[in-house]
């Protein structure tokens, strides 16, 4: 029996306004004047002086604004890495990701691919990364994915949507400043928050669970209930608690796995480009048979916040298209094993998945 | 406004039997054959083949058995460091602490003092350590202190009982194997578990609290209630959950502080040598006015497990002795400020502390 030696983020700052400490934190990490810091920032912050004026650019430091309208892709990482190599005199001092899960995952992947040869798609899987990544910092501006603390960076490649799971993936530094989440739209707030909630349901009811992951998952779950069902929190408290829910939810995956919602939403993402948060919500809404209590509570939260999920997104798909989604989903074996144990293939057949996708 | 950039333990293994992975984890950390691993182990494990046979000693590796009957002292750290320097050819590859809070704190302190000049007592305080410690590993065999995850190592010096609080203090690696706690005596199990419970009460009701520390403290508190008041857990579940309670309780101190029980029990420890776990229990039992709900629940736990606390330990003390305890306690300003805010000195007078100590 061998247990994972889990890598934790070695440095974390938590606090409203802690983003102001970024320059001070980075300064001692600068290798030399030819090794810049590269900031990958969600392009919703383009022209947002409130945020960008607090980033002090020196020497060849550079901001690259990136749209999070689409899920992050392996080809996108390859292009970013090539651009960075071509335009910097030396390997960067660090990569700083500022945004939601998409930007955080891009920052992790770019920092890995700057020190590892070949194409990003070749590293999708478990423990395929050979060299330590360069110093990378994660600063979430949307809460829920757990990308700030997790050991993966989930990317859509030519053949699959799958994470680069490795000991070199986690950030070296995370800054948790809930003030950065204040302008997230209500829908996005809900979808990404539900990503955390769904993580917890999947992790807590999974076969992989142990006491470590359970304690983190339960705390994230309790926080989600408080945030999405109670009315007792101020706006700031709610933002701070959702940031912690995301953190604990991400930690709960350490010795666990996600489940049906993630496995199926990866299929939607691969074929239709459905984004992760909303994709999980669309799937989870139909998973009563797997997670009866969890789905009931989810529907309460959805009603309370007047969230309308898209309907009929699979209505016009061909059989070939269904097969593509089903194959992507069935390929995520650890997720299905977490749901139903070693014999999961007896229950989860292509026909079963097709009938579920058809409801969506 | 500046928030602490908190150092987290960068590697953690959790799992029943994970102690078996120790040799595999250490192997790549060996600097050379002249740089041994030094194991500091609670002497209750002397002759315990079940534990020691799993430690593979190579080259100049060495086990030092240490009694945890007394609280760890700065002079003890100085002596250990001198002994290690005199008997090793090169600076060790690592220090591995195996035991309860006493052994874990000794391992942290020794690893710091091997790379920092002068006497241990000179580093008691906040952020006085200049050089990174050598690689150090913590393996708890009693759960509750949070020493496995905290940023301090609490030592009794010639002038004070106070921690070496620094970014270099936390372990580089922790192994959480609840099986190692299976032979802890019932009294010790209770006292050390209550150290965690009392941490949580002090942290959650303190003025320093933020959402980060609150979420960890609440989880540790919930786990303590489950372990010490419910009857639904198996022995193994209870051991695993207490290990996680200790972990989360330690994390909850990141942006918080302990309070009255710790401030006063440090006085008992300094003057009378009262050990930390039982000392906190003795003090906390009399703190209804500060923590009414917390003390009520503590008394329920005490009754449920038939724990008899010593009484009258301050009965025969002289005025001078009371003054010594009171001065030690009043010196812990951050703790008192956490309890009552900036104006704590209006309430916490020497006379007030004396009246409390007299009850114990």
């Amino acid at each position: 029996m061998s247990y994972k030696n889990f890598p934790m983020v070695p440095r974390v700052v938590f606090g409203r306004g802690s983003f102001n400490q970024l320059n001070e934190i980075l300064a001692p990490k600068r290798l030399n004047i030819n090794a810049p810091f590269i900031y990958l920032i969600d392009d919703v912050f383009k022209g947002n002086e409130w945020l960008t004026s607090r980033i002090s650019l020196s020497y060849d430091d550079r901001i690259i604004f990136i749209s999070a309208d689409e899920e992050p892709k392996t080809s996108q990482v390859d292009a970013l890495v090539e651009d960075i190599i071509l335009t910097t005199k030396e390997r960067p001092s660090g990569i700083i990701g500022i945004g939601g899960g998409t930007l955080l995952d891009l920052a992790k992947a770019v920092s890995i691919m700057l020190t590892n040869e070949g194409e990003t798609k070749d590293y999708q899987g478990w423990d395929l990364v050979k060299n330590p990544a360069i110093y990378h910092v994660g600063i979430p501006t949307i809460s829920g994915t757990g990308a700030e603390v997790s050991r993966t960076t989930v990317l859509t490649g030519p053949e699959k949507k799958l994470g680069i799971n490795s000991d070199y993936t986690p950030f070296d530094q995370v800054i948790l400043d809930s003030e950065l989440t204040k302008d997230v739209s209500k829908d996005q707030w809900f979808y990404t928050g539900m990503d955390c909630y769904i993580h917890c349901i999947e992790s807590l009811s999974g076969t992989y669970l142990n006491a470590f992951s359970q304690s983190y998952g339960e705390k994230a779950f309790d926080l989600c209930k408080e945030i999405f069902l109670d009315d007792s929190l101020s706006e700031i408290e709610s933002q701070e608690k959702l940031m912690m829910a995301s953190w604990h939810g991400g930690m709960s995956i350490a010795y666990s796995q996600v489940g049906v919602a993630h496995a199926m939403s990866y299929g939607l993402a691969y074929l239709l480009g459905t984004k992760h948060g909303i994709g999980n919500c669309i799937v989870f809404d139909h998973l009563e048979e797997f997670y009866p209590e969890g789905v009931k509570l989810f529907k309460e939260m959805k009603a309370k916040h007047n969230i309308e999920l898209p309907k009929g997104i699979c209505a016009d798909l061909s059989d070939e298209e269904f097969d593509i989604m089903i194959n992507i989903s069935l390929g995520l074996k650890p997720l299905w094993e977490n749901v139903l144990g070693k014999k999961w293939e007896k229950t989860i057949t292509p026909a079963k998945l097709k009938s579920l996708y058809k409801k969506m």
Side-chain angles (χ1 to χ4, degrees), chain A residues 179-346:
Chain A
E179 199 176 18
L180 302 180
T181 70
K182 69 183 173 60
D183 297 322
V184 175
S185 73
K186 187 181 158 195
D187 280 356
Q188 192 61 56
W189 165 79
F190 185 83
Y191 299 145
T192 313
M194 286 301 107
D195 187 19
C196 175
Y197 172 78
I198 294 167
H199 273 146
C200 294
I201 300 292
E202 292 179 317
S203 148
L204 290 172
S205 61
T207 62
Y208 286 6
L209 194 69
N210 68 8
F212 185 96
S213 283
Q214 185 184 2
S215 68
Y216 280 103
E218 285 172 349
K219 188 64 214 174
F221 176 76
D222 289 347
L223 287 167
C224 284
K225 280 199 295 188
E226 196 180 354
I227 295 157
F228 291 100
L229 287 175
D230 287 4
D231 293 310
S232 57
L233 299 175
S234 73
E235 207 169 333
I236 290 178
E237 283 173 335
S238 176
Q239 289 163 7
E240 293 208 311
K241 283 184 185 246
L242 189 53
M243 201 150 244
M244 288 314 299
S246 179
W247 180 260
H248 292 311
M251 281 299 298
S252 84
I253 305 301
Y255 289 98
S256 179
Q257 252 303 352
V258 286
V260 185
H262 279 75
M264 293 194 69
S265 85
Y266 277 28
L268 295 178
Y270 184 83
L271 184 76
L272 305 172
T274 314
K275 290 214 67 193
H276 188 70
I278 191 170
N280 277 342
C281 288
I282 291 169
V283 177
F284 195 68
D285 209 24
H286 297 283
L287 297 185
E288 290 94 340
E289 64 180 291
F290 296 100
Y291 310 110
E293 288 303 311
V295 173
K296 186 166 162 261
L297 220 55
F298 171 76
K299 288 183 190 288
E300 280 177 41
M301 294 172 178
K302 205 174 53 147
K304 185 175 169 76
H305 297 287
N306 302 309
I307 303 293
E308 284 284 339
L309 292 174
K311 286 197 175 108
I313 62 168
C314 298
D316 302 322
L317 298 183
S318 67
D319 285 346
E320 290 71 28
E321 287 173 317
F322 276 113
D323 286 345
I324 290 171
M325 290 202 299
I326 290 165
N327 283 334
I328 288 286
S329 180
L330 289 177
L332 296 157
K333 295 182 195 303
L335 281 64
W336 292 110
E337 194 178 297
N338 181 45
V339 180
L340 292 162
K342 294 272 179 206
K343 296 181 176 172
W344 63 270
E345 280 167 304
K346 287 194 174 172

Side-chain angles (χ1 to χ4, degrees), chain A residues 12-267:
Chain A
V12 57
V13 185
F14 179 94
R16 196 91 177 166
S18 57
F19 184 65
N20 292 334
Q21 294 169 231
L22 175 61
N23 301 316
E24 188 191 328
I25 288 168
L26 292 182
K29 301 292 180 185
R30 188 183 292 279
L31 301 172
N32 64 61
I33 61 170
N34 292 323
F37 287 109
I38 310 285
Y39 297 81
L40 307 184
I41 306 185
D42 189 321
D43 70 0
V44 297
F45 291 108
K46 204 167 181 172
N48 182 328
E49 286 280 312
W50 174 76
L51 184 120
T52 56
S53 69
R54 290 188 279 170
I55 298 171
S56 130
L57 299 177
S58 308
Y59 310 109
D60 299 333
D61 293 350
R62 185 150 72 99
I63 291 175
I64 303 176
F65 287 106
I66 298 173
S67 164
D69 288 346
E70 295 188 4
E71 290 283 280
K73 294 183 180 53
T74 58
S75 57
Q76 190 181 9
V77 175
D78 291 333
L80 279 164
V81 169
E82 194 182 350
D83 173 62
I84 291 169
I85 290 173
L86 289 175
T87 56
T88 54
K89 293 172 195 142
E90 287 185 22
R91 193 178 270 178
S93 294
I95 303 293
I96 299 98
I98 304 177
T102 297
L103 269 291
L104 297 183
D105 277 357
L106 284 172
K108 292 189 201 178
V110 165
S111 72
I112 288 170
M113 292 311 299
L114 280 165
T115 56
N116 286 277
E117 290 194 348
E119 290 180 82
T120 305
K121 69 176 173 57
D122 299 333
Y123 296 93
Q124 286 180 285
W126 280 270
D127 300 305
L128 303 171
V129 179
K130 285 174 191 66
N131 304 314
I134 66 168
Y135 176 76
H136 49 303
V137 179
I139 307 176
T141 65
I142 310 175
S143 295
T145 67
E148 65 278 17
V149 74
S150 73
R151 191 181 170 272
T152 193
T153 157
V154 184
L155 302 168
T156 303
E159 286 157 28
K160 54 200 170 197
K161 178 176 175 185
L162 185 62
I164 301 179
N165 299 270
S166 87
D167 287 349
Y168 303 124
T169 307
F171 287 109
D172 298 295
Q173 168 80 57
V174 166
I175 297 176
L176 299 175
D177 177 355
S178 65
E179 199 176 18
L180 302 180
T181 70
K182 69 183 173 60
D183 297 322
V184 175
S185 73
K186 187 181 158 195
D187 280 356
Q188 192 61 56
W189 165 79
F190 185 83
Y191 299 145
T192 313
M194 286 301 107
D195 187 19
C196 175
Y197 172 78
I198 294 167
H199 273 146
C200 294
I201 300 292
E202 292 179 317
S203 148
L204 290 172
S205 61
T207 62
Y208 286 6
L209 194 69
N210 68 8
F212 185 96
S213 283
Q214 185 184 2
S215 68
Y216 280 103
E218 285 172 349
K219 188 64 214 174
F221 176 76
D222 289 347
L223 287 167
C224 284
K225 280 199 295 188
E226 196 180 354
I227 295 157
F228 291 100
L229 287 175
D230 287 4
D231 293 310
S232 57
L233 299 175
S234 73
E235 207 169 333
I236 290 178
E237 283 173 335
S238 176
Q239 289 163 7
E240 293 208 311
K241 283 184 185 246
L242 189 53
M243 201 150 244
M244 288 314 299
S246 179
W247 180 260
H248 292 311
M251 281 299 298
S252 84
I253 305 301
Y255 289 98
S256 179
Q257 252 303 352
V258 286
V260 185
H262 279 75
M264 293 194 69
S265 85
Y266 277 28

